[in-house]
Amino acid sequence: MRVISLFVIIGCFISTLYSMKEQKEIYNSSSDSLQEKTLQELAIMFWKGKDLDSVVRRKLSDSYISKAKKNGDKARIADGYQMFMYMCKREFETYLKYSDSIIDITKHLKGNHYPATGYIFKGGVLRDMERYNEALESLLKAKKLAEDNHFEIQVMAAEGIIAELKTILGKNLEALEIYKKHFSILSQKQDVKKNEQNYISTTYLLADSYNRIKSYDSAHFYIKNGIKYSLTNYYHHFYPELVFTAGVNNYHRKKYKPAIDSLQKSLRLFDNNVDDIKVRVSYLYLAKSYKQLGEDAEAIEYLEKVESITNLSNYRLEIREVFEILKEYYSQKEDKSELLELLEKWIKYEKFIQEKYNRLDQEIVEKYDVPKLIRDNEMLFEQTVDNNKVLRFKLIIFGCLLILVITLLYLFLYKWKKNKYEEVLDEQFEKVKELKDGKKKPSSYLGFELSEKLKLEILQKLNVFENNKEYLKNDITLVMVSKKLKTNSTYLSRVINLEKQKNFTQYINGLRIEYCINEIESNKIFRQYAISSMANEVGFNNIQSFAKAFSKEAGCNPAEYIKKYNESII
């Protein structure tokens, strides 16, 4: 995991190893003897060295939590839960459970770094689980609590992970601005040492961001300094990440052999854990480096390795280039079978991730970017306006207009990008279909106007679709229906728009609600269903969308309709 760790908050890292003799004493000690220790002593014993085995750590953490519970000290109980989290850093569900426990037990504490710490831990693990929208929610809560309590380091930790979410969306310049602000704050603090974890992590993130915006010399500067600071710290914080970033940087600076050396080293440091996106990106850059050195067989081997371990849940934009290179390779080989399989996977991955990232993008704009813009505008107002009411009024108007323009521009670009993206995907689907059929479509295939014959043919197929009640299937999409009807999704959408006077979603929901109303009026058993079961029965995935669609068609919600109908038949 790459959560910007807050374990240092409990203040118990010591720079020397715990000796084997002392470990043995703890291992053989009784619970009673450990209970005689103070909480601070137990914490120091737990965190003193990274070579403590799991049995020793478990004894210490159990004793710590037991003593904290006896004292009724909620903050110290939460510290104990952090010990458990440290022992299960790779077990995401367990880590998430303890994060929730920390939040729950400390939710009423005031003036404390809890529960914000719990929310930061939760946001970090949700980010690693790729549950990005939930991660953002948790991080915004942490940031608000930290700001209210004036805990600057916590604010930076929450913002740092939000910046990583921006990086995932490709908003690298926005992420870089956050990291530069953090680096400036840390550099100005006299009590911050350059080998401390927060300083090293920020140095690494700056280097990674400069790589992403193609400022490779700046990235190289921060990589060198980050590695130097990391090696002077006993725990070598972020050393694997810095070595990985050096490999990417060396590739872009055309130093291919050093790039291979750094990337191979980073793979060993990451234990070749394929669940880590950095491991798969390392494979990609190894392939690109070998390709530049003329070793194509080695390059293809790494690319196919990435493709083989990629699935719907772990696909990320960082490895999109793997599929682009393999597509070109299979096309040149004229290997239609491999090309077809690759395209079908890639299209599925892209559709899924685009939907996920679009939701996150909208959340960041609505819940982070716009409120931040408002706050920045208010700060500008406070700093520059004293008693000048005219200037104050102008600033407020300007700020509101600026927010409105940015929001409208975002919505316009979002809609344009979505439409453009769907056009490209439709085109890719047609290419896949051509490969399957083994033949080209006529040039008029992509024409906008439809012949009467084609419209009639599609309408007849829609009648069969409706008669067979196939609209009741969950998760039905325009592409699925068009494939079922053996037509193009653009044609099908246009026929529904023209002939049904609805878009695809309205058309499907209308059929479902019509079916539902008929069932309510004709099927006594159906009327007794729970609303959630009723929604699922007619193809909806949740009650909210079902109730909204029902109200739109029937003028009232399902429960009200059933009540009125029951009263009418008495």
Side-chain angles (χ1 to χ4, degrees), residues 106-121:
T106 62
K107 60 188 175 186
H108 298 303
L109 292 182
K110 303 294 182 185
N112 196 290
H113 69 82
Y114 291 118
T117 297
Y119 281 114
I120 291 172
F121 281 135

Side-chain angles (χ1 to χ4, degrees), residues 99-112:
S99 299
D100 283 329
S101 296
I102 287 174
I103 292 167
D104 185 60
I105 201 168
T106 62
K107 60 188 175 186
H108 298 303
L109 292 182
K110 303 294 182 185
N112 196 290

Side-chain angles (χ1 to χ4, degrees), residues 74 77-78 81-82 84-85 94-107 114-115 118 122:
K74 292 183 176 180
I77 295 169
Y81 288 155
Q82 282 195 49
F84 281 125
M85 291 166 71
T94 307
Y95 198 100
L96 189 59
K97 182 183 76 174
Y98 279 113
S99 299
D100 283 329
S101 296
I102 287 174
I103 292 167
D104 185 60
I105 201 168
T106 62
K107 60 188 175 186
Y114 291 118
K122 184 174 182 179

Side-chain angles (χ1 to χ4, degrees), residues 141-162:
K141 288 177 184 176
K143 186 171 180 289
K144 176 69 166 59
L145 288 166
E147 286 172 339
D148 290 346
N149 289 306
H150 307 291
F151 289 135
E152 189 176 48
I153 292 297
Q154 281 190 315
V155 173
M156 289 168 60
E159 285 183 343
I161 306 176
I162 291 171

Side-chain angles (χ1 to χ4, degrees), residues 191-250:
D191 58 337
V192 172
K193 295 178 182 177
K194 289 186 176 181
N195 68 349
E196 286 185 352
Q197 179 170 334
N198 285 333
Y199 193 89
I200 297 168
S201 70
T202 306
T203 304
Y204 153 65
L205 291 166
L206 265 175
D208 180 64
S209 289
Y210 277 119
N211 259 353
R212 291 175 185 273
I213 65 168
K214 302 180 181 180
S215 294
Y216 301 119
D217 289 338
S218 296
H220 182 61
F221 171 81
Y222 285 104
I223 290 166
K224 284 197 304 181
N225 284 292
I227 288 175
K228 180 178 73 175
Y229 302 145
S230 179
L231 291 176
T232 60
N233 182 287
Y234 176 75
Y235 294 96
H236 295 176
H237 294 303
F238 292 89
Y239 181 66
E241 286 85 352
L242 285 159
V243 173
F244 158 75
T245 308
V248 175
N249 183 262
N250 281 328

Side-chain angles (χ1 to χ4, degrees), residues 369-552:
D369 289 343
V370 171
K372 182 178 181 298
L373 186 63
I374 294 171
R375 285 197 302 275
D376 290 347
N377 186 61
E378 289 172 348
M379 286 177 64
L380 178 65
F381 169 78
E382 290 171 2
Q383 291 169 3
T384 59
V385 181
D386 294 322
N387 298 318
N388 192 329
K389 293 182 180 180
V390 175
L391 182 57
R392 180 183 303 168
F393 178 74
K394 287 181 178 179
L395 278 172
I396 292 172
I397 294 297
F398 173 76
C400 292
L401 286 173
L402 183 61
I403 293 166
L404 179 63
V405 168
I406 290 173
T407 304
L408 291 173
L409 182 62
Y410 166 76
L411 291 172
F412 171 77
L413 289 174
Y414 170 75
K415 187 174 180 181
W416 181 83
K417 281 169 65 179
K418 186 176 179 183
N419 291 340
K420 195 73 177 172
Y421 184 76
E422 287 177 352
E423 286 177 16
V424 171
L425 284 178
D426 278 339
E427 183 180 333
Q428 289 294 332
F429 270 117
E430 289 308 313
K431 288 181 180 177
V432 171
K433 191 172 180 182
E434 288 172 14
L435 283 167
K436 281 184 174 178
D437 296 343
K439 59 184 181 181
K440 293 275 185 181
K441 297 290 181 185
S443 58
S444 60
Y445 180 71
L446 294 177
F448 190 74
E449 294 300 324
L450 301 178
S451 67
E452 288 299 322
K453 181 181 178 182
L454 182 55
K455 278 196 281 189
L456 183 60
E457 182 182 325
I458 292 173
L459 284 171
Q460 287 172 344
K461 289 178 179 178
L462 278 176
N463 286 336
V464 174
F465 170 81
E466 293 175 14
N467 292 336
N468 292 337
K469 297 182 175 58
E470 293 186 55
Y471 50 81
L472 299 178
K473 293 177 182 177
N474 291 79
D475 300 318
I476 199 167
T477 65
L478 176 64
V479 172
M480 288 168 58
V481 175
S482 62
K483 288 177 73 175
K484 178 74 177 175
L485 303 185
K486 296 181 179 178
T487 187
N488 173 268
S489 58
T490 305
Y491 290 174
L492 178 59
S493 176
R494 181 147 177 78
V495 169
I496 291 172
N497 291 158
L498 290 173
E499 304 299 325
K500 306 293 183 180
Q501 297 297 303
K502 297 178 179 179
N503 63 32
F504 178 76
T505 302
Q506 293 167 341
Y507 167 66
I508 293 296
N509 286 349
L511 291 172
R512 288 170 172 172
I513 300 305
E514 183 181 352
Y515 173 83
C516 182
I517 290 172
N518 288 336
E519 284 295 291
I520 290 171
E521 295 178 354
S522 62
N523 188 337
K524 185 178 180 180
I525 297 174
F526 187 83
R527 285 200 297 275
Q528 296 171 357
Y529 281 8
I531 300 299
S532 58
S533 300
M534 197 175 285
N536 189 62
E537 187 76 15
V538 298
F540 288 90
N541 290 319
N542 57 72
I543 296 177
Q544 290 78 12
S545 57
F546 171 60
K548 185 178 178 181
F550 195 100
S551 296
K552 188 174 181 180

